[in-house]
Amino acid sequence: MNVVVEVVDLKKKFGSIEALKGISFEIEKGEIFGLIGPNGAGKTTTLRIISTLLKPDSGTVRVFGYDVEKEPQEIRKLISYLPEEAGAYRELTGLGYLKFVARFFAKNDNEFERMIEDGIQIANLKDRLRSKVATYSKGMTRRLLIARTLMVKPKLAILDEPTSGLDVLNAREVRLIIKRFVEGGGTVLLSSHNMLEVESLCDRIALISNGEIVEAGKPEELKKKYSASNIEEVFAEVVRCSGTC
Ligand code: ATP
């Protein structure tokens, strides 16, 4: 099966706020797919629905062919979700935290050891892995959480703003980690409001604004279509044109 995520006419309201107004998109196996848009556009809501943490009001969402409402347990076995504002257990050391998570997921000792090795490599916190999470900077905590999300080798990693709070070098390193994860056979859905960074990272993107997907495609194709030099310009042009051009 090549389609990993299938979203059709997805709607979600919070009271009177229409967070998602009927969005549709597909993600294929082996892709890095970026949901890109400004604050409040509906990115986190979409990611949480696909992760089975939030129920849709209407529409269809399938992950590996499983329906998010009817078969959430099957989906949870195949995905790993990195929330935007996640924290780790502050009283554990970074290494203790990775071990704590690996114990839940590993089916045997070998797999446990492999997960910890991968986690240590991805987190790349060196000696600080033995310090308490409470002493970590925001960027260090983020790296630990990315390590936790990817070391369990999910079939689909759902990453909400994976590079938020990271400095330029750490953000670059995390982008490389994401690429390596996909080269190893995984698929990634990520969100970002950093339109420039997604160009080098994502195979395809969907631009979301005000609960609607206003444009989607490969970054290179979109830049060509709008004669833009970057995705930020594409977004500005799409939003400017909506309803008037
Ligand atoms: P950001 O980049 O700021 O994280 P986002 O694109 O992820 O934004 P969402 O968090 O999906 O946006 O929010 C979409 C809309 O839904 C916003 O107007 C937000 O205020 C609203 N919203 C999201 N969650 C809730 C909630 N639990 N209760 C009420 N409104 C909510």
PDB file of all heavy atoms in Angstrom, residues 79-89 94 97-102 105 115 118-120 122-123 141-154 158-159:
ATOM      1  N   ILE A  79       2.258   4.508  14.577  1.00  0.00           N
ATOM      2  CA  ILE A  79       2.682   5.913  14.517  1.00  0.00           C
ATOM      3  C   ILE A  79       3.400   6.332  15.791  1.00  0.00           C
ATOM      4  O   ILE A  79       3.323   5.657  16.827  1.00  0.00           O
ATOM      5  CB  ILE A  79       1.476   6.864  14.312  1.00  0.00           C
ATOM      6  CG1 ILE A  79       0.535   6.823  15.529  1.00  0.00           C
ATOM      7  CG2 ILE A  79       0.720   6.512  13.041  1.00  0.00           C
ATOM      8  CD1 ILE A  79      -0.470   7.957  15.550  1.00  0.00           C
ATOM      9  N   SER A  80       4.091   7.456  15.692  1.00  0.00           N
ATOM     10  CA  SER A  80       4.675   8.074  16.872  1.00  0.00           C
ATOM     11  C   SER A  80       4.487   9.575  16.699  1.00  0.00           C
ATOM     12  O   SER A  80       4.727  10.117  15.620  1.00  0.00           O
ATOM     13  CB  SER A  80       6.162   7.693  16.928  1.00  0.00           C
ATOM     14  OG  SER A  80       6.726   8.119  18.109  1.00  0.00           O
ATOM     15  N   TYR A  81       4.020  10.235  17.742  1.00  0.00           N
ATOM     16  CA  TYR A  81       3.617  11.653  17.636  1.00  0.00           C
ATOM     17  C   TYR A  81       4.473  12.520  18.548  1.00  0.00           C
ATOM     18  O   TYR A  81       4.620  12.220  19.735  1.00  0.00           O
ATOM     19  CB  TYR A  81       2.138  11.751  18.028  1.00  0.00           C
ATOM     20  CG  TYR A  81       1.578  13.154  18.113  1.00  0.00           C
ATOM     21  CD1 TYR A  81       1.630  14.019  17.021  1.00  0.00           C
ATOM     22  CD2 TYR A  81       0.965  13.610  19.280  1.00  0.00           C
ATOM     23  CE1 TYR A  81       1.086  15.296  17.096  1.00  0.00           C
ATOM     24  CE2 TYR A  81       0.418  14.890  19.363  1.00  0.00           C
ATOM     25  CZ  TYR A  81       0.488  15.722  18.260  1.00  0.00           C
ATOM     26  OH  TYR A  81      -0.044  16.988  18.338  1.00  0.00           O
ATOM     27  N   LEU A  82       5.015  13.571  17.977  1.00  0.00           N
ATOM     28  CA  LEU A  82       5.759  14.559  18.772  1.00  0.00           C
ATOM     29  C   LEU A  82       4.898  15.813  18.889  1.00  0.00           C
ATOM     30  O   LEU A  82       4.732  16.549  17.916  1.00  0.00           O
ATOM     31  CB  LEU A  82       7.077  14.921  18.072  1.00  0.00           C
ATOM     32  CG  LEU A  82       7.848  16.079  18.699  1.00  0.00           C
ATOM     33  CD1 LEU A  82       8.493  15.673  20.011  1.00  0.00           C
ATOM     34  CD2 LEU A  82       8.912  16.599  17.737  1.00  0.00           C
ATOM     35  N   PRO A  83       4.326  16.066  20.074  1.00  0.00           N
ATOM     36  CA  PRO A  83       3.493  17.264  20.215  1.00  0.00           C
ATOM     37  C   PRO A  83       4.330  18.535  20.188  1.00  0.00           C
ATOM     38  O   PRO A  83       5.541  18.494  20.447  1.00  0.00           O
ATOM     39  CB  PRO A  83       2.832  17.091  21.581  1.00  0.00           C
ATOM     40  CG  PRO A  83       3.129  15.697  22.011  1.00  0.00           C
ATOM     41  CD  PRO A  83       4.360  15.276  21.302  1.00  0.00           C
ATOM     42  N   GLU A  84       3.660  19.642  19.900  1.00  0.00           N
ATOM     43  CA  GLU A  84       4.361  20.929  19.807  1.00  0.00           C
ATOM     44  C   GLU A  84       4.944  21.337  21.165  1.00  0.00           C
ATOM     45  O   GLU A  84       6.080  21.774  21.270  1.00  0.00           O
ATOM     46  CB  GLU A  84       3.354  21.980  19.312  1.00  0.00           C
ATOM     47  CG  GLU A  84       3.965  23.321  19.011  1.00  0.00           C
ATOM     48  CD  GLU A  84       2.931  24.311  18.490  1.00  0.00           C
ATOM     49  OE1 GLU A  84       1.725  23.974  18.459  1.00  0.00           O
ATOM     50  OE2 GLU A  84       3.338  25.413  18.134  1.00  0.00           O
ATOM     51  N   GLU A  85       4.130  21.194  22.181  1.00  0.00           N
ATOM     52  CA  GLU A  85       4.557  21.666  23.508  1.00  0.00           C
ATOM     53  C   GLU A  85       4.778  20.480  24.434  1.00  0.00           C
ATOM     54  O   GLU A  85       4.159  20.396  25.488  1.00  0.00           O
ATOM     55  CB  GLU A  85       3.476  22.581  24.105  1.00  0.00           C
ATOM     56  CG  GLU A  85       3.260  23.889  23.371  1.00  0.00           C
ATOM     57  CD  GLU A  85       4.426  24.853  23.535  1.00  0.00           C
ATOM     58  OE1 GLU A  85       5.209  24.685  24.490  1.00  0.00           O
ATOM     59  OE2 GLU A  85       4.557  25.748  22.680  1.00  0.00           O
ATOM     60  N   ALA A  86       5.616  19.566  24.044  1.00  0.00           N
ATOM     61  CA  ALA A  86       5.793  18.381  24.879  1.00  0.00           C
ATOM     62  C   ALA A  86       6.877  18.604  25.911  1.00  0.00           C
ATOM     63  O   ALA A  86       7.797  19.387  25.711  1.00  0.00           O
ATOM     64  CB  ALA A  86       6.168  17.199  23.996  1.00  0.00           C
ATOM     65  N   GLY A  87       6.759  17.903  27.014  1.00  0.00           N
ATOM     66  CA  GLY A  87       7.825  17.902  28.011  1.00  0.00           C
ATOM     67  C   GLY A  87       8.181  16.463  28.310  1.00  0.00           C
ATOM     68  O   GLY A  87       7.409  15.561  28.012  1.00  0.00           O
ATOM     69  N   ALA A  88       9.361  16.262  28.899  1.00  0.00           N
ATOM     70  CA  ALA A  88       9.730  14.908  29.323  1.00  0.00           C
ATOM     71  C   ALA A  88       9.716  14.914  30.856  1.00  0.00           C
ATOM     72  O   ALA A  88       9.682  15.969  31.475  1.00  0.00           O
ATOM     73  CB  ALA A  88      11.112  14.562  28.800  1.00  0.00           C
ATOM     74  N   TYR A  89       9.744  13.736  31.454  1.00  0.00           N
ATOM     75  CA  TYR A  89       9.744  13.649  32.923  1.00  0.00           C
ATOM     76  C   TYR A  89      10.977  14.342  33.482  1.00  0.00           C
ATOM     77  O   TYR A  89      12.098  13.882  33.289  1.00  0.00           O
ATOM     78  CB  TYR A  89       9.693  12.190  33.369  1.00  0.00           C
ATOM     79  CG  TYR A  89       8.386  11.549  33.044  1.00  0.00           C
ATOM     80  CD1 TYR A  89       8.224  10.785  31.911  1.00  0.00           C
ATOM     81  CD2 TYR A  89       7.280  11.741  33.883  1.00  0.00           C
ATOM     82  CE1 TYR A  89       7.000  10.213  31.592  1.00  0.00           C
ATOM     83  CE2 TYR A  89       6.051  11.177  33.569  1.00  0.00           C
ATOM     84  CZ  TYR A  89       5.919  10.422  32.425  1.00  0.00           C
ATOM     85  OH  TYR A  89       4.715   9.872  32.117  1.00  0.00           O
ATOM     86  N   GLY A  94      18.095  12.218  31.014  1.00  0.00           N
ATOM     87  CA  GLY A  94      17.726  12.008  29.614  1.00  0.00           C
ATOM     88  C   GLY A  94      17.780  10.526  29.260  1.00  0.00           C
ATOM     89  O   GLY A  94      16.869   9.981  28.626  1.00  0.00           O
ATOM     90  N   TYR A  97      15.017   8.615  30.765  1.00  0.00           N
ATOM     91  CA  TYR A  97      13.768   8.848  30.028  1.00  0.00           C
ATOM     92  C   TYR A  97      13.697   7.957  28.781  1.00  0.00           C
ATOM     93  O   TYR A  97      12.676   7.334  28.501  1.00  0.00           O
ATOM     94  CB  TYR A  97      13.660  10.325  29.654  1.00  0.00           C
ATOM     95  CG  TYR A  97      12.436  10.641  28.835  1.00  0.00           C
ATOM     96  CD1 TYR A  97      11.162  10.543  29.392  1.00  0.00           C
ATOM     97  CD2 TYR A  97      12.540  11.016  27.498  1.00  0.00           C
ATOM     98  CE1 TYR A  97      10.024  10.815  28.634  1.00  0.00           C
ATOM     99  CE2 TYR A  97      11.414  11.287  26.738  1.00  0.00           C
ATOM    100  CZ  TYR A  97      10.154  11.183  27.314  1.00  0.00           C
ATOM    101  OH  TYR A  97       9.045  11.446  26.559  1.00  0.00           O
ATOM    102  N   LEU A  98      14.818   7.881  28.039  1.00  0.00           N
ATOM    103  CA  LEU A  98      14.836   7.034  26.831  1.00  0.00           C
ATOM    104  C   LEU A  98      14.585   5.573  27.210  1.00  0.00           C
ATOM    105  O   LEU A  98      13.847   4.856  26.529  1.00  0.00           O
ATOM    106  CB  LEU A  98      16.174   7.167  26.095  1.00  0.00           C
ATOM    107  CG  LEU A  98      16.479   8.534  25.461  1.00  0.00           C
ATOM    108  CD1 LEU A  98      17.846   8.510  24.778  1.00  0.00           C
ATOM    109  CD2 LEU A  98      15.399   8.944  24.462  1.00  0.00           C
ATOM    110  N   LYS A  99      15.182   5.141  28.322  1.00  0.00           N
ATOM    111  CA  LYS A  99      14.990   3.749  28.773  1.00  0.00           C
ATOM    112  C   LYS A  99      13.535   3.516  29.178  1.00  0.00           C
ATOM    113  O   LYS A  99      12.954   2.474  28.878  1.00  0.00           O
ATOM    114  CB  LYS A  99      15.912   3.439  29.951  1.00  0.00           C
ATOM    115  CG  LYS A  99      17.361   3.275  29.525  1.00  0.00           C
ATOM    116  CD  LYS A  99      18.230   2.879  30.700  1.00  0.00           C
ATOM    117  CE  LYS A  99      19.647   2.632  30.236  1.00  0.00           C
ATOM    118  NZ  LYS A  99      20.584   2.451  31.350  1.00  0.00           N
ATOM    119  N   PHE A 100      12.975   4.522  29.860  1.00  0.00           N
ATOM    120  CA  PHE A 100      11.584   4.436  30.305  1.00  0.00           C
ATOM    121  C   PHE A 100      10.655   4.221  29.099  1.00  0.00           C
ATOM    122  O   PHE A 100       9.770   3.363  29.108  1.00  0.00           O
ATOM    123  CB  PHE A 100      11.256   5.748  31.039  1.00  0.00           C
ATOM    124  CG  PHE A 100       9.832   5.914  31.431  1.00  0.00           C
ATOM    125  CD1 PHE A 100       9.316   5.230  32.525  1.00  0.00           C
ATOM    126  CD2 PHE A 100       8.999   6.775  30.732  1.00  0.00           C
ATOM    127  CE1 PHE A 100       7.987   5.388  32.899  1.00  0.00           C
ATOM    128  CE2 PHE A 100       7.680   6.944  31.100  1.00  0.00           C
ATOM    129  CZ  PHE A 100       7.164   6.250  32.180  1.00  0.00           C
ATOM    130  N   VAL A 101      10.892   4.996  28.034  1.00  0.00           N
ATOM    131  CA  VAL A 101      10.052   4.892  26.831  1.00  0.00           C
ATOM    132  C   VAL A 101      10.309   3.552  26.123  1.00  0.00           C
ATOM    133  O   VAL A 101       9.372   2.855  25.721  1.00  0.00           O
ATOM    134  CB  VAL A 101      10.326   6.072  25.863  1.00  0.00           C
ATOM    135  CG1 VAL A 101       9.592   5.885  24.544  1.00  0.00           C
ATOM    136  CG2 VAL A 101       9.908   7.389  26.515  1.00  0.00           C
ATOM    137  N   ALA A 102      11.598   3.186  25.990  1.00  0.00           N
ATOM    138  CA  ALA A 102      11.944   1.954  25.259  1.00  0.00           C
ATOM    139  C   ALA A 102      11.321   0.727  25.919  1.00  0.00           C
ATOM    140  O   ALA A 102      10.927  -0.222  25.241  1.00  0.00           O
ATOM    141  CB  ALA A 102      13.463   1.806  25.170  1.00  0.00           C
ATOM    142  N   PHE A 105       7.971   0.046  24.504  1.00  0.00           N
ATOM    143  CA  PHE A 105       7.839  -0.298  23.087  1.00  0.00           C
ATOM    144  C   PHE A 105       8.601  -1.565  22.691  1.00  0.00           C
ATOM    145  O   PHE A 105       8.187  -2.264  21.769  1.00  0.00           O
ATOM    146  CB  PHE A 105       8.320   0.871  22.214  1.00  0.00           C
ATOM    147  CG  PHE A 105       7.347   2.022  22.190  1.00  0.00           C
ATOM    148  CD1 PHE A 105       7.426   3.038  23.121  1.00  0.00           C
ATOM    149  CD2 PHE A 105       6.336   2.064  21.240  1.00  0.00           C
ATOM    150  CE1 PHE A 105       6.516   4.095  23.117  1.00  0.00           C
ATOM    151  CE2 PHE A 105       5.419   3.109  21.223  1.00  0.00           C
ATOM    152  CZ  PHE A 105       5.517   4.128  22.172  1.00  0.00           C
ATOM    153  N   MET A 115      16.997   0.330  20.472  1.00  0.00           N
ATOM    154  CA  MET A 115      16.273   1.601  20.625  1.00  0.00           C
ATOM    155  C   MET A 115      17.105   2.605  21.423  1.00  0.00           C
ATOM    156  O   MET A 115      17.190   3.779  21.063  1.00  0.00           O
ATOM    157  CB  MET A 115      14.938   1.376  21.362  1.00  0.00           C
ATOM    158  CG  MET A 115      13.836   0.910  20.463  1.00  0.00           C
ATOM    159  SD  MET A 115      12.286   0.783  21.389  1.00  0.00           S
ATOM    160  CE  MET A 115      11.332  -0.162  20.202  1.00  0.00           C
ATOM    161  N   ASP A 118      19.938   3.948  19.309  1.00  0.00           N
ATOM    162  CA  ASP A 118      19.418   4.929  18.339  1.00  0.00           C
ATOM    163  C   ASP A 118      19.053   6.229  19.039  1.00  0.00           C
ATOM    164  O   ASP A 118      19.350   7.322  18.555  1.00  0.00           O
ATOM    165  CB  ASP A 118      18.156   4.393  17.632  1.00  0.00           C
ATOM    166  CG  ASP A 118      18.508   3.412  16.530  1.00  0.00           C
ATOM    167  OD1 ASP A 118      19.707   3.140  16.343  1.00  0.00           O
ATOM    168  OD2 ASP A 118      17.582   2.922  15.861  1.00  0.00           O
ATOM    169  N   GLY A 119      18.396   6.090  20.180  1.00  0.00           N
ATOM    170  CA  GLY A 119      17.958   7.280  20.933  1.00  0.00           C
ATOM    171  C   GLY A 119      19.142   8.140  21.340  1.00  0.00           C
ATOM    172  O   GLY A 119      19.115   9.373  21.199  1.00  0.00           O
ATOM    173  N   ILE A 120      20.218   7.485  21.813  1.00  0.00           N
ATOM    174  CA  ILE A 120      21.419   8.220  22.242  1.00  0.00           C
ATOM    175  C   ILE A 120      22.018   8.961  21.047  1.00  0.00           C
ATOM    176  O   ILE A 120      22.383  10.133  21.137  1.00  0.00           O
ATOM    177  CB  ILE A 120      22.457   7.247  22.861  1.00  0.00           C
ATOM    178  CG1 ILE A 120      21.935   6.728  24.196  1.00  0.00           C
ATOM    179  CG2 ILE A 120      23.824   7.926  23.019  1.00  0.00           C
ATOM    180  CD1 ILE A 120      22.767   5.609  24.801  1.00  0.00           C
ATOM    181  N   ILE A 122      20.495   9.905  18.208  1.00  0.00           N
ATOM    182  CA  ILE A 122      19.633  10.982  17.712  1.00  0.00           C
ATOM    183  C   ILE A 122      19.659  12.172  18.674  1.00  0.00           C
ATOM    184  O   ILE A 122      19.781  13.326  18.257  1.00  0.00           O
ATOM    185  CB  ILE A 122      18.179  10.478  17.514  1.00  0.00           C
ATOM    186  CG1 ILE A 122      18.123   9.396  16.436  1.00  0.00           C
ATOM    187  CG2 ILE A 122      17.261  11.631  17.124  1.00  0.00           C
ATOM    188  CD1 ILE A 122      16.801   8.650  16.346  1.00  0.00           C
ATOM    189  N   ALA A 123      19.570  11.910  19.975  1.00  0.00           N
ATOM    190  CA  ALA A 123      19.545  13.007  20.953  1.00  0.00           C
ATOM    191  C   ALA A 123      20.869  13.766  20.942  1.00  0.00           C
ATOM    192  O   ALA A 123      20.904  14.993  21.083  1.00  0.00           O
ATOM    193  CB  ALA A 123      19.261  12.461  22.347  1.00  0.00           C
ATOM    194  N   THR A 141      15.771  19.611  25.385  1.00  0.00           N
ATOM    195  CA  THR A 141      14.564  18.811  25.648  1.00  0.00           C
ATOM    196  C   THR A 141      13.932  18.388  24.325  1.00  0.00           C
ATOM    197  O   THR A 141      13.489  17.248  24.160  1.00  0.00           O
ATOM    198  CB  THR A 141      13.543  19.630  26.478  1.00  0.00           C
ATOM    199  OG1 THR A 141      14.213  20.158  27.610  1.00  0.00           O
ATOM    200  CG2 THR A 141      12.373  18.794  26.913  1.00  0.00           C
ATOM    201  N   ARG A 142      13.926  19.318  23.373  1.00  0.00           N
ATOM    202  CA  ARG A 142      13.336  19.023  22.063  1.00  0.00           C
ATOM    203  C   ARG A 142      14.077  17.868  21.390  1.00  0.00           C
ATOM    204  O   ARG A 142      13.493  16.976  20.808  1.00  0.00           O
ATOM    205  CB  ARG A 142      13.416  20.299  21.212  1.00  0.00           C
ATOM    206  CG  ARG A 142      12.455  20.362  20.062  1.00  0.00           C
ATOM    207  CD  ARG A 142      11.059  20.601  20.525  1.00  0.00           C
ATOM    208  NE  ARG A 142      10.111  20.485  19.443  1.00  0.00           N
ATOM    209  CZ  ARG A 142       8.873  20.032  19.569  1.00  0.00           C
ATOM    210  NH1 ARG A 142       8.421  19.642  20.723  1.00  0.00           N
ATOM    211  NH2 ARG A 142       8.080  19.961  18.542  1.00  0.00           N
ATOM    212  N   ARG A 143      15.393  17.892  21.465  1.00  0.00           N
ATOM    213  CA  ARG A 143      16.191  16.820  20.844  1.00  0.00           C
ATOM    214  C   ARG A 143      15.907  15.474  21.509  1.00  0.00           C
ATOM    215  O   ARG A 143      15.827  14.443  20.845  1.00  0.00           O
ATOM    216  CB  ARG A 143      17.683  17.149  20.937  1.00  0.00           C
ATOM    217  CG  ARG A 143      18.092  18.235  19.975  1.00  0.00           C
ATOM    218  CD  ARG A 143      19.587  18.248  19.835  1.00  0.00           C
ATOM    219  NE  ARG A 143      20.029  17.042  19.156  1.00  0.00           N
ATOM    220  CZ  ARG A 143      20.789  17.037  18.087  1.00  0.00           C
ATOM    221  NH1 ARG A 143      21.209  18.174  17.573  1.00  0.00           N
ATOM    222  NH2 ARG A 143      21.164  15.920  17.531  1.00  0.00           N
ATOM    223  N   LEU A 144      15.780  15.511  22.830  1.00  0.00           N
ATOM    224  CA  LEU A 144      15.478  14.271  23.555  1.00  0.00           C
ATOM    225  C   LEU A 144      14.130  13.717  23.102  1.00  0.00           C
ATOM    226  O   LEU A 144      13.974  12.508  22.885  1.00  0.00           O
ATOM    227  CB  LEU A 144      15.454  14.556  25.068  1.00  0.00           C
ATOM    228  CG  LEU A 144      15.203  13.342  25.957  1.00  0.00           C
ATOM    229  CD1 LEU A 144      16.413  12.405  25.932  1.00  0.00           C
ATOM    230  CD2 LEU A 144      14.898  13.769  27.386  1.00  0.00           C
ATOM    231  N   LEU A 145      13.163  14.618  22.920  1.00  0.00           N
ATOM    232  CA  LEU A 145      11.822  14.185  22.524  1.00  0.00           C
ATOM    233  C   LEU A 145      11.801  13.672  21.083  1.00  0.00           C
ATOM    234  O   LEU A 145      11.067  12.736  20.756  1.00  0.00           O
ATOM    235  CB  LEU A 145      10.834  15.337  22.701  1.00  0.00           C
ATOM    236  CG  LEU A 145      10.574  15.678  24.173  1.00  0.00           C
ATOM    237  CD1 LEU A 145       9.915  17.037  24.307  1.00  0.00           C
ATOM    238  CD2 LEU A 145       9.720  14.602  24.824  1.00  0.00           C
ATOM    239  N   ILE A 146      12.597  14.297  20.229  1.00  0.00           N
ATOM    240  CA  ILE A 146      12.683  13.807  18.846  1.00  0.00           C
ATOM    241  C   ILE A 146      13.311  12.407  18.850  1.00  0.00           C
ATOM    242  O   ILE A 146      12.866  11.506  18.141  1.00  0.00           O
ATOM    243  CB  ILE A 146      13.463  14.799  17.966  1.00  0.00           C
ATOM    244  CG1 ILE A 146      12.581  16.033  17.738  1.00  0.00           C
ATOM    245  CG2 ILE A 146      13.873  14.176  16.629  1.00  0.00           C
ATOM    246  CD1 ILE A 146      13.258  17.201  17.113  1.00  0.00           C
ATOM    247  N   ALA A 147      14.324  12.240  19.697  1.00  0.00           N
ATOM    248  CA  ALA A 147      14.961  10.915  19.825  1.00  0.00           C
ATOM    249  C   ALA A 147      13.941   9.887  20.286  1.00  0.00           C
ATOM    250  O   ALA A 147      13.836   8.792  19.724  1.00  0.00           O
ATOM    251  CB  ALA A 147      16.122  10.991  20.806  1.00  0.00           C
ATOM    252  N   ARG A 148      13.169  10.255  21.283  1.00  0.00           N
ATOM    253  CA  ARG A 148      12.134   9.348  21.804  1.00  0.00           C
ATOM    254  C   ARG A 148      11.125   8.967  20.705  1.00  0.00           C
ATOM    255  O   ARG A 148      10.711   7.829  20.575  1.00  0.00           O
ATOM    256  CB  ARG A 148      11.423  10.055  22.973  1.00  0.00           C
ATOM    257  CG  ARG A 148      10.331   9.285  23.647  1.00  0.00           C
ATOM    258  CD  ARG A 148       8.972   9.618  23.100  1.00  0.00           C
ATOM    259  NE  ARG A 148       8.477  10.898  23.544  1.00  0.00           N
ATOM    260  CZ  ARG A 148       7.486  11.542  22.949  1.00  0.00           C
ATOM    261  NH1 ARG A 148       6.922  11.064  21.883  1.00  0.00           N
ATOM    262  NH2 ARG A 148       7.064  12.695  23.398  1.00  0.00           N
ATOM    263  N   THR A 149      10.759   9.964  19.877  1.00  0.00           N
ATOM    264  CA  THR A 149       9.735   9.735  18.848  1.00  0.00           C
ATOM    265  C   THR A 149      10.246   8.816  17.737  1.00  0.00           C
ATOM    266  O   THR A 149       9.517   7.954  17.248  1.00  0.00           O
ATOM    267  CB  THR A 149       9.301  11.094  18.231  1.00  0.00           C
ATOM    268  OG1 THR A 149       8.978  11.976  19.293  1.00  0.00           O
ATOM    269  CG2 THR A 149       8.109  10.941  17.313  1.00  0.00           C
ATOM    270  N   LEU A 150      11.512   9.014  17.343  1.00  0.00           N
ATOM    271  CA  LEU A 150      12.022   8.269  16.180  1.00  0.00           C
ATOM    272  C   LEU A 150      12.687   6.941  16.544  1.00  0.00           C
ATOM    273  O   LEU A 150      12.718   6.033  15.722  1.00  0.00           O
ATOM    274  CB  LEU A 150      12.996   9.142  15.384  1.00  0.00           C
ATOM    275  CG  LEU A 150      12.396  10.428  14.788  1.00  0.00           C
ATOM    276  CD1 LEU A 150      13.444  11.161  13.960  1.00  0.00           C
ATOM    277  CD2 LEU A 150      11.164  10.136  13.931  1.00  0.00           C
ATOM    278  N   MET A 151      13.215   6.818  17.754  1.00  0.00           N
ATOM    279  CA  MET A 151      13.972   5.598  18.088  1.00  0.00           C
ATOM    280  C   MET A 151      13.082   4.354  18.100  1.00  0.00           C
ATOM    281  O   MET A 151      13.579   3.241  17.943  1.00  0.00           O
ATOM    282  CB  MET A 151      14.685   5.745  19.439  1.00  0.00           C
ATOM    283  CG  MET A 151      13.766   5.639  20.628  1.00  0.00           C
ATOM    284  SD  MET A 151      14.653   5.819  22.172  1.00  0.00           S
ATOM    285  CE  MET A 151      13.347   5.397  23.327  1.00  0.00           C
ATOM    286  N   VAL A 152      11.769   4.560  18.267  1.00  0.00           N
ATOM    287  CA  VAL A 152      10.865   3.402  18.296  1.00  0.00           C
ATOM    288  C   VAL A 152      10.512   2.934  16.882  1.00  0.00           C
ATOM    289  O   VAL A 152       9.728   2.007  16.698  1.00  0.00           O
ATOM    290  CB  VAL A 152       9.585   3.692  19.115  1.00  0.00           C
ATOM    291  CG1 VAL A 152       9.943   4.042  20.543  1.00  0.00           C
ATOM    292  CG2 VAL A 152       8.750   4.815  18.500  1.00  0.00           C
ATOM    293  N   LYS A 153      11.122   3.595  15.902  1.00  0.00           N
ATOM    294  CA  LYS A 153      10.959   3.253  14.482  1.00  0.00           C
ATOM    295  C   LYS A 153       9.484   3.106  14.088  1.00  0.00           C
ATOM    296  O   LYS A 153       9.047   2.027  13.636  1.00  0.00           O
ATOM    297  CB  LYS A 153      11.732   1.977  14.127  1.00  0.00           C
ATOM    298  CG  LYS A 153      13.239   2.123  14.197  1.00  0.00           C
ATOM    299  CD  LYS A 153      13.894   1.424  13.033  1.00  0.00           C
ATOM    300  CE  LYS A 153      15.398   1.458  13.033  1.00  0.00           C
ATOM    301  NZ  LYS A 153      16.041   2.729  13.238  1.00  0.00           N
ATOM    302  N   PRO A 154       8.720   4.180  14.219  1.00  0.00           N
ATOM    303  CA  PRO A 154       7.326   4.106  13.774  1.00  0.00           C
ATOM    304  C   PRO A 154       7.278   4.025  12.254  1.00  0.00           C
ATOM    305  O   PRO A 154       8.226   4.438  11.578  1.00  0.00           O
ATOM    306  CB  PRO A 154       6.745   5.441  14.256  1.00  0.00           C
ATOM    307  CG  PRO A 154       7.915   6.375  14.240  1.00  0.00           C
ATOM    308  CD  PRO A 154       9.100   5.541  14.632  1.00  0.00           C
ATOM    309  N   ILE A 158       4.785  11.647  13.231  1.00  0.00           N
ATOM    310  CA  ILE A 158       3.985  12.874  13.106  1.00  0.00           C
ATOM    311  C   ILE A 158       4.629  13.908  14.020  1.00  0.00           C
ATOM    312  O   ILE A 158       4.612  13.761  15.245  1.00  0.00           O
ATOM    313  CB  ILE A 158       2.517  12.594  13.498  1.00  0.00           C
ATOM    314  CG1 ILE A 158       1.945  11.508  12.578  1.00  0.00           C
ATOM    315  CG2 ILE A 158       1.688  13.870  13.441  1.00  0.00           C
ATOM    316  CD1 ILE A 158       0.558  11.033  12.955  1.00  0.00           C
ATOM    317  N   LEU A 159       5.230  14.920  13.406  1.00  0.00           N
ATOM    318  CA  LEU A 159       6.071  15.839  14.177  1.00  0.00           C
ATOM    319  C   LEU A 159       5.501  17.249  14.107  1.00  0.00           C
ATOM    320  O   LEU A 159       5.488  17.873  13.041  1.00  0.00           O
ATOM    321  CB  LEU A 159       7.502  15.830  13.604  1.00  0.00           C
ATOM    322  CG  LEU A 159       8.149  14.454  13.365  1.00  0.00           C
ATOM    323  CD1 LEU A 159       9.493  14.607  12.638  1.00  0.00           C
ATOM    324  CD2 LEU A 159       8.345  13.715  14.688  1.00  0.00           C
TER     325      LEU A 159
END
